[in-house]
């Protein structure tokens, strides 16, 4: 029976969840009888070509449901079915029919292909292990998880983060780590800390609109510095530094939102030099840095910073679950107290239960698999998007292939506008993000952002094909004749 188990590395479902579901099914169907010994962890992991932890996590989930039991020193065995399991066993086939009908219904409902959102969809969320860890935290800490927490964050989680970030070549001790309720809150509390009415802040042009809104809410003077496929234009940055005295520069050096651009090594090094020369404070938002598919160097600026010039923001929204509202800041010591006060004023502390669960996620070594699974799914979507754009789009649409992240930034021919294209696309059940929302002032109107966060590979191919035909129709209506067979006269 066990021989029939097959795990698909290409599926969006975690490997341990695939294994858990298949074993569960074999047990409930009675194909694995009570007291049958399950394969030892090492042997099984070798057979399935997965990490030991995949087997451990699947066995743990089955144990939580009393479907298996463990004997110290002997291994894991199938448990006798309880009455509740037997009832479930009887309903098993009926349930399959029911689920299939349910799925069909939602598929029909959700026919919109969403390239507009940068948020991952619920099918990518690791619900079963999360549930297990929530219970574990509640059993362990009871009401403490729901009391007032320290504003700086749960100590154990800060210790875990301090050791985890060494993987990124970043050193920060627990006093330099501030837990926050999402990166958006991070940007907000930094703005509260550093910006007064009329203060200047530098941003990339274009940039993340959530940051623009925060800086506008502080009535700051936003100076936009153009970004190219090599990163922010350091010559313009230097000119502007000579002209203004900004409170800080907000940027995203890896897989930038919205452009997908990544800073070259030269750009990163030059920025660090300028920061030292002009005593410039930098806020580095590293939302997508983990989603590296082809980049050879996606180091953070923070890892290059010798002089405590950088405040680093890392969100768990894109690589875990946005609804948890969890992120952290790495803060040079001198700013720590002021930022702590801003955090306290905002919401006093970040949810204690989710901080504890995240901490266990790392401690039980499930994080690595989380990132690997998500990255696998996204890199397949990324490849599909690269191929579809190259195959279907007319040559007049320009884009640079990003090296990672979730976003593709397209420049439309001047005859088209982002909003009009969005309206036309919506009529065909495709949504996209108009580029003009990513600018603080004087936006161009012929850019769009396409995100792979919420579109499957199938949807990407279908959506880009349709989008390309809408673009071609609009170009033809504008009098521009597409002639893909044009060859220069030589
Ligand atoms: C660059 C960037 N920073 C911050 C955020 C907000 O993240 P969070 O959900 O952690 O608040 C986003 C969300 O899309 C983002 O793209």
């Amino acid at each position: 029976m066990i021989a029939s188990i097959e795990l698909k590395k290409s599926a969006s479902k975690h490997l341990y969840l695939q294994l858990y579901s298949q074993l569960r099914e074999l047990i409930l169907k009675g194909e694995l009888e009570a007291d049958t010994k399950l394969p030892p962890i090492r042997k099984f992991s070798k057979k399935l070509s997965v990490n030991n932890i995949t087997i451990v996590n699947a066995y743990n989930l089955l144990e939580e449901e009393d479907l298996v039991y463990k004997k110290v020193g002997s291994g894991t065995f199938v448990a006798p079915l309880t009455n509740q399991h037997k009832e479930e066993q009887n309903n098993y086939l009926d349930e399959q029919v029911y689920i299939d009908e349910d799925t069909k219904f939602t598929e029909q409902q959700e026919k919109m292909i969403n390239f507009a959102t940068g948020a991952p969809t619920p099918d990518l969320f690791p619900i079963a292990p999360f549930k297990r860890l929530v219970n574990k935290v509640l059993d362990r800490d009871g009401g403490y998880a729901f009391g007032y927490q320290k504003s700086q964050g749960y100590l154990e989680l800060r210790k875990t983060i301090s050791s985890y970030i060494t993987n990124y070549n970043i050193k920060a001790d627990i006093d330099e780590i501030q837990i926050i309720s999402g990166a958006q809150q991070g940007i907000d509390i930094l703005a509260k800390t550093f910006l007064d009415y009329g203060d200047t802040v530098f941003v990339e042009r274009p940039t993340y609109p959530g940051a623009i809104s925060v800086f506008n809410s502080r009535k700051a003077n936003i100076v936009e510095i153009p970004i190219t496929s090599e990163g922010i234009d350091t010559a313009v940055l230097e000119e502007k530094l000579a002209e203004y005295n900004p409170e800080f520069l907000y940027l995203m050096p890896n897989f930038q939102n919205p452009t997908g651009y990544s800073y070259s090594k030269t750009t990163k090094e030059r920025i660090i030099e300028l920061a030292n020369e002009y005593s410039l404070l930098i806020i580095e938002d590293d939302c997508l840095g983990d989603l590296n598919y082809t980049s050879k160097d996606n180091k953070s600026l923070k890892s290059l910073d010798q002089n405590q010039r950088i405040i680093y923001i890392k969100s768990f929204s894109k690589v875990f679950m946005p609804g948890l509202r969890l992120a952290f800041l790495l803060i040079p010591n001198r700013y720590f107290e002021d930022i702590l006060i801003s955090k306290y004023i905002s919401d006093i502390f970040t949810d204690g239960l989710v901080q504890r669960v995240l901490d266990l996620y790392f401690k039980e070594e499930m994080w690595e698999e989380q990132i690997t699974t998500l990255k696998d799914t996204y890199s397949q979507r990324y490849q599909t998007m690269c191929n579809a754009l190259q195959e279907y789009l007319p040559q007049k649409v320009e884009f640079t292939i990003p090296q990672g992240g979730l976003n593709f930034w397209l420049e439309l021919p001047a005859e088209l506008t982002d909003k009009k294209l969005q309206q036309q696309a919506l009529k065909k059940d495709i949504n996209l993000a108009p580029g003009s929302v990513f600018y603080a002032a004087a936006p161009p109107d012929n850019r769009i952002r396409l995100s792979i966060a919420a579109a499957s590979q199938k949807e990407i191919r279908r959506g880009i094909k349709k989008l390309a035909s809408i673009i071609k129709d609009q170009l033809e209506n504008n009098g521009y004749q597409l002639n893909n067979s044009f060859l220069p006269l030589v």
Side-chain angles (χ1 to χ4, degrees):
M1 284 312 134
I2 297 277
S4 68
I5 287 180
E6 210 180 304
L7 305 184
K8 286 200 184 104
K9 294 208 165 138
S10 59
S12 61
K13 195 170 177 183
H14 288 255
L15 291 172
Y16 69 93
L17 289 178
Q18 293 182 38
L19 179 59
Y20 152 77
S21 308
Q22 292 182 41
L23 285 170
R24 187 176 192 277
E25 189 177 333
L26 290 174
I27 296 170
L28 285 177
K29 280 181 172 168
E31 289 176 14
L32 282 174
E33 287 177 4
D35 303 319
T36 308
K37 185 173 178 192
L38 295 182
I41 291 166
R42 270 203 207 137
K43 212 166 143 194
F44 208 11
S45 61
K46 220 168 174 185
K47 181 176 176 297
L48 297 173
S49 311
V50 295
N51 291 333
N52 289 352
I53 200 78
T54 304
I55 315 291
V56 172
N57 288 333
Y59 284 2
N60 281 345
L61 284 177
L62 292 167
E63 192 184 19
E64 306 254 315
E65 286 192 48
D66 295 326
L67 285 166
V68 301
Y69 62 92
K70 288 179 185 153
K71 269 199 217 164
V72 182
S74 306
T76 305
F77 297 82
V78 176
L81 293 182
T82 60
N83 284 343
Q84 201 186 333
H85 289 140
K86 282 183 188 149
E87 208 172 295
E88 200 179 327
Q89 188 183 32
N90 291 337
N91 291 337
Y92 201 81
L93 279 175
D94 294 351
E95 197 185 80
Q96 283 307 103
V97 173
Y98 193 68
I99 288 171
D100 288 349
E101 279 172 2
D102 244 21
T103 319
K104 269 186 222 149
F105 175 69
T106 48
E107 268 171 13
Q108 229 174 23
Q109 253 197 341
E110 291 170 359
K111 72 176 183 194
M112 175 73 74
I113 298 176
N114 194 347
F115 294 130
T117 180
T121 45
D123 55 307
L124 298 176
F125 300 161
I127 301 304
F130 192 80
K131 191 167 149 191
R132 184 172 72 79
L133 295 185
V134 167
N135 285 332
K136 208 163 176 177
V137 167
L138 293 178
D139 289 343
R140 189 192 65 191
D141 297 351
Y144 288 104
F146 298 111
Y148 274 89
Q149 313 286 316
K150 291 219 162 98
S151 297
Q152 192 176 354
Y154 178 53
L155 179 63
E156 283 302 310
L157 178 61
R158 286 191 287 124
K159 283 186 195 162
T160 297
I161 289 173
S162 171
S163 109
Y164 166 66
I165 55 176
T166 56
N167 297 323
Y168 299 91
N169 291 318
I170 301 177
K171 274 201 196 119
D173 53 59
I174 50 172
D175 292 339
E176 294 167 320
I177 297 170
Q178 169 71 57
I179 306 292
I180 45 176
S181 309
Q184 183 66 30
Q185 182 185 64
I187 301 167
D188 190 49
I189 65 176
L190 293 174
K192 245 184 218 159
T193 310
F194 294 109
L195 296 180
D196 279 328
Y197 181 93
D199 279 348
T200 295
V201 52
F202 284 5
V203 299
E204 298 153 319
R205 175 182 170 86
T207 188
Y208 168 55
I212 298 176
S213 304
V214 167
F215 304 149
N216 276 332
S217 77
R218 304 295 300 170
K219 305 281 182 284
N221 169 35
I222 302 177
V223 174
E224 298 175 283
I225 315 234
I227 174 171
T228 71
S229 57
E230 294 288 298
I232 203 164
D233 186 327
T234 48
V236 179
L237 175 60
E238 191 167 9
E239 263 169 42
K240 299 286 180 195
L241 281 168
E243 192 179 340
Y244 296 93
N245 187 15
E247 298 308 310
F248 58 79
L249 160 65
Y250 167 80
L251 43 67
M252 293 160 265
N254 289 305
F255 323 131
Q256 200 249 11
N257 184 9
T259 59
Y261 298 158
S262 292
Y263 289 29
S264 66
K265 189 163 174 269
T266 320
T267 308
K268 285 178 188 165
E269 286 168 357
R270 181 69 188 131
I271 289 174
I272 297 284
E273 275 171 18
L274 288 172
N276 290 332
E277 202 176 317
Y278 287 86
S279 300
L280 172 68
L281 172 64
I282 294 175
I283 295 177
E284 175 178 25
D285 188 342
D286 190 20
C287 234
L288 299 173
D290 289 299
L291 300 177
N292 168 24
Y293 318 127
T294 62
S295 165
K296 300 224 160 39
D297 173 22
N298 67 330
K299 281 199 191 95
S300 62
L301 278 183
K302 182 75 182 167
S303 67
L304 305 173
D305 176 29
Q306 304 289 325
N307 295 309
Q308 302 272 35
R309 299 263 170 234
I310 294 177
I311 296 180
Y312 177 86
I313 311 179
K314 180 132 202 116
S315 168
F316 292 103
S317 289
K318 309 291 180 185
V319 287
F320 200 35
M321 299 191 268
L324 299 179
R325 311 309 303 133
L326 262 184
F328 64 87
L329 296 176
L330 303 180
I331 305 169
N333 256 317
R334 61 187 181 283
Y335 301 123
F336 189 73
E337 244 177 72
D338 290 345
I339 292 172
L340 187 63
I341 292 168
S342 296
K343 163 69 182 172
Y344 183 86
I345 293 168
S346 289
D347 66 348
I348 309 183
F349 61 87
T350 293
D351 185 303
L353 178 64
V354 295
Q355 289 193 65
R356 285 168 165 78
V357 176
L358 181 67
D359 180 47
L360 273 193
Y361 223 89
F362 280 99
K363 290 204 164 104
E364 297 208 352
E365 294 177 29
M366 289 154 82
W367 188 253
E368 205 181 310
E369 187 172 343
Q370 166 68 17
I371 293 285
T372 311
T373 309
L374 209 66
K375 219 168 116 176
D376 279 356
T377 304
Y378 281 141
S379 73
Q380 285 163 19
R381 291 183 187 178
Y382 160 84
Q383 202 48 60
T384 306
M385 181 61 107
C386 294
N387 296 343
L389 292 175
Q390 279 158 344
E391 189 176 335
Y392 297 125
L393 284 184
Q395 279 172 3
K396 275 198 109 188
V397 179
E398 289 181 12
F399 57 90
T400 304
I401 297 284
Q403 298 171 342
L406 299 172
N407 301 312
F408 289 74
W409 185 241
L410 275 53
E411 184 172 344
L412 305 170
E415 303 88 312
L416 303 187
T417 70
D418 55 353
K419 297 259 169 67
K420 192 161 167 227
L421 181 62
Q422 186 191 28
Q423 276 168 13
Q424 298 299 325
L426 278 171
K427 285 187 198 154
K428 305 254 165 150
D429 296 318
I430 297 169
N431 201 1
L432 52 86
S436 41
V437 303
F438 299 95
Y439 296 83
D445 64 359
N446 65 334
R447 310 282 203 280
I448 58 168
R449 189 196 72 178
L450 301 177
S451 164
I452 54 169
S456 67
Q457 285 177 273
K458 228 168 157 183
E459 287 175 325
I460 292 171
R461 280 197 78 74
R462 200 153 46 86
I464 297 303
K465 199 170 173 186
K466 266 197 205 174
L467 189 64
S469 97
I470 299 167
I471 293 174
K472 284 176 193 160
D473 284 351
Q474 288 199 8
L475 284 174
E476 274 160 19
N477 289 341
N478 269 315
Y480 172 78
Q481 289 299 314
L482 284 169
N483 185 357
N484 288 336
S485 60
F486 172 79
L487 283 174
L489 288 173
V490 285

